[in-house]
Amino acid sequence: MSTSDTLVEAHSAQVALPPGQLYIDGQWQDSTGTDRRDVVDPSTGRVVMTVAEATAEDVDRAVQAARRAFDSGPWRTMSPRDRGAILHRAAQLIQENAEELARLESLDTGKPIAFSRMIDANTTAEHFSYFAGLAGAIEGATRGIRGPGLGYTRREALGVVAAITPFNFPMILSTSKIAPALAAGNTVVHKPAEDTPLTALRIAELLTEAGLPDGVLNVVTGGGAVAGDALSRHTGVDRIAFTGSTKIGSMIAATAAANVTPVTMELGGKSANIVFDDADLDEAIQAAVSGFVFNTGQFCMGGTRLLVQRGVYDQVLAGVVAGATHVPVGDPLDEGTVVGPMAGERHLQNVERFVALVDGEGTGRIVAGGKRLDREGFYMAPTVVVDVPNDSRLVQDEIFGPVLTVQVFDTEEEAIALANSTPYGLAAGLHTQNLSRAHRVAAALEAGLIWVNTYGILDVALPFGGYKASGYGRENGPEALDEYLQTKSVYVAL
Ligand code: NAD
């Protein structure tokens, strides 16, 4: 079926993808099963497309295609610079189709279109151009060895990579795996989140157009319990790159351990954002608001625990409450929208359950938001809670919605202790004009990424990943390539 056969109109966007089909071996293929899943526009609750629930047999077919493409295809053996040229072309095609991809992403996730365009589509293209450049720089080393011999190392691809990704940044978090995995010469089977599979399917088509050989990138849609489970158990998979919740990640790591399959785990977060009393307060307040409302709080690195030094607490809280109350919430396809709906009803209900924990003396006080909005779609008002005990689930657990707790501290030591007091360690922010304090606190925070005097900015050149229960392995930067390469030593007798 050609992609133009089915056009489903939603808002002004068009989804030009064949419903119910999987992308395997460079072409659209029917699922072996009959189960389908509706993809819903979160701003209206309306179905925009139906996708296949891939069966274990479909997953096996995709892994076999990836295996064939790895073992006998030209991808692994071609010059890394030629691989890079195809990935550069992919970056170019993604830029040329950025508007369509951004609209699909907004339709699927509820992300404001301005962000989908500026952040999601651009970053996706940049993943390909950045790793295209690094492909040609993959190199081994010669080593001074004992005896009359030559010792050198080769950096080799692993084989078939399984990429399993979450709903909140579908394009970015899939291509942060796919681009370095392909640059290193691997082949990939991608299972996007069940709720948000649209851009994954379209990107697979674009990569074929860019010249990627058949079977090098395959996409199977569907839920975690069947498709995800079948993929993470498959003995034909040589690495699993997972982004998602700590709960599912630890299950997958246990499954993978049985096959001795290495895993990369990008998991949950509960990041602290610290405001010292010498900070530029306008900047800090702005960063605090955007740090928790960005992507409607469905941001693994969201600054959801604001820690404020006592002397500026009242002023910062007032600024944050004003910002949270006035931030433009609305239709994701309106250019002026900053906060869209949550990605689905189940995500919104989960946030409501957390907010319901604020229930009387000693459980906190809501000073902004606190309710879902009385309109069509899955909208939650940006919510600010104060006076919450540090051991409350509101402070310790990942809520994954636009909910901020604000706590007060007196000393630098206390701020560090509070910041490090959850099981997570994904990111943290700090705001101060004191240079020594900035570096001292950055070193003391137990998190994989620290922002000083800003919050939430990512760059493809800087690695990110978790400490503690936020996972292990790194994405972005040259470090990401290491996850998809293995080292072989060669000893040549002379
Ligand atoms: P999730 O863990 O529910 O799902 C992630 C993926 O795993 C989905 O594709 C899902 O279908 C699949 N899955 C579910 N059960 C499975 C199973 N038994 N076997 C194999 N796969 C299975 O996560 P989510 O709700 O989609 O995303 C939100 C979570 O992701 C949050 O915890 C967030 O912090 C985390 N996240 C982390 C990062 C990071 O970089 N560390 C980035 C974004 C999101």
Side-chain angles (χ1 to χ4, degrees), residues 133-182:
L134 284 187
I138 295 170
E139 58 188 13
T142 54
R143 296 283 160 79
I145 54 172
R146 286 185 201 283
L150 165 69
Y152 67 93
T153 61
R154 289 170 50 82
R155 303 282 280 148
E156 296 184 346
L158 298 167
V160 177
V161 171
I164 303 179
T165 54
F167 72 90
N168 60 332
F169 289 91
M171 275 199 278
I172 291 181
L173 293 172
S174 56
T175 56
S176 64
K177 298 164 182 56
I178 293 167
L182 295 184

Side-chain angles (χ1 to χ4, degrees), residues 268 423-426 445-449 465-472 474:
Y424 296 105
L426 197 53
L445 291 171
E446 294 166 354
L449 176 54
Y467 280 28
K468 306 197 292 188
S470 292
Y472 43 86
R474 292 292 177 267

Side-chain angles (χ1 to χ4, degrees), residues 165-167 173 191 194 224 228 242-245 248 266-268 300 398:
T165 54
F167 72 90
L173 293 172
K191 194 207 81 64
E194 46 272 57
F242 175 79
T243 299
S245 60
I248 301 291
E266 300 286 350
L267 307 178
C300 53
E398 184 179 46

Side-chain angles (χ1 to χ4, degrees), residues 29-40:
Q29 296 196 12
D30 289 328
S31 165
T32 54
T34 51
D35 285 352
R36 298 286 180 268
R37 183 183 290 262
D38 290 338
V39 178
V40 171

Side-chain angles (χ1 to χ4, degrees), residues 16-199:
L17 292 164
Q21 291 202 306
L22 308 165
Y23 200 81
I24 298 177
D25 220 358
Q27 52 188 299
W28 295 107
Q29 296 196 12
D30 289 328
S31 165
T32 54
T34 51
D35 285 352
R36 298 286 180 268
R37 183 183 290 262
D38 290 338
V39 178
V40 171
D41 172 353
S43 68
T44 60
R46 195 150 73 96
V47 175
V48 293
M49 166 148 176
T50 347
V51 292
E53 279 288 333
T55 61
E57 205 181 326
D58 295 328
V59 169
D60 183 54
R61 213 152 32 106
V63 174
Q64 301 291 347
R67 171 58 51 197
R68 277 194 305 277
F70 184 75
D71 289 345
S72 54
W75 188 247
R76 167 171 63 140
T77 48
M78 75 170 62
S79 134
R81 284 202 299 280
D82 289 343
R83 280 203 299 269
I86 292 174
L87 298 181
H88 267 305
R89 175 80 187 120
Q92 205 181 337
L93 280 174
I94 286 165
Q95 281 297 7
E96 285 167 16
N97 292 276
E99 187 60 26
E100 179 200 350
L101 288 167
R103 283 183 171 270
L104 280 179
E105 201 77 320
S106 286
L107 196 60
D108 211 352
T109 62
K111 258 176 224 294
I113 184 69
F115 292 82
S116 296
R117 212 181 270 138
M118 187 176 61
I119 298 174
D120 300 74
N122 272 335
T123 306
T124 299
E126 213 177 15
H127 283 154
F128 285 100
S129 54
Y130 180 78
F131 288 105
L134 284 187
I138 295 170
E139 58 188 13
T142 54
R143 296 283 160 79
I145 54 172
R146 286 185 201 283
L150 165 69
Y152 67 93
T153 61
R154 289 170 50 82
R155 303 282 280 148
E156 296 184 346
L158 298 167
V160 177
V161 171
I164 303 179
T165 54
F167 72 90
N168 60 332
F169 289 91
M171 275 199 278
I172 291 181
L173 293 172
S174 56
T175 56
S176 64
K177 298 164 182 56
I178 293 167
L182 295 184
N186 300 279
T187 59
V188 176
V189 178
H190 175 210
K191 194 207 81 64
E194 46 272 57
D195 301 337
T196 57
L198 299 184
T199 46

Side-chain angles (χ1 to χ4, degrees), residues 355-398:
V355 174
L357 296 174
V358 182
D359 182 26
E361 186 78 4
T363 58
R365 196 159 49 84
I366 294 171
V367 291
K371 292 194 185 71
R372 72 186 286 161
L373 298 184
D374 185 17
R375 57 177 287 173
E376 186 183 45
F378 314 127
Y379 288 87
M380 179 74 196
T383 297
V384 181
V385 189
V386 297
D387 303 336
V388 202
N390 194 52
D391 62 0
S392 159
R393 286 189 51 215
L394 277 169
V395 175
Q396 295 292 322
D397 291 3
E398 184 179 46

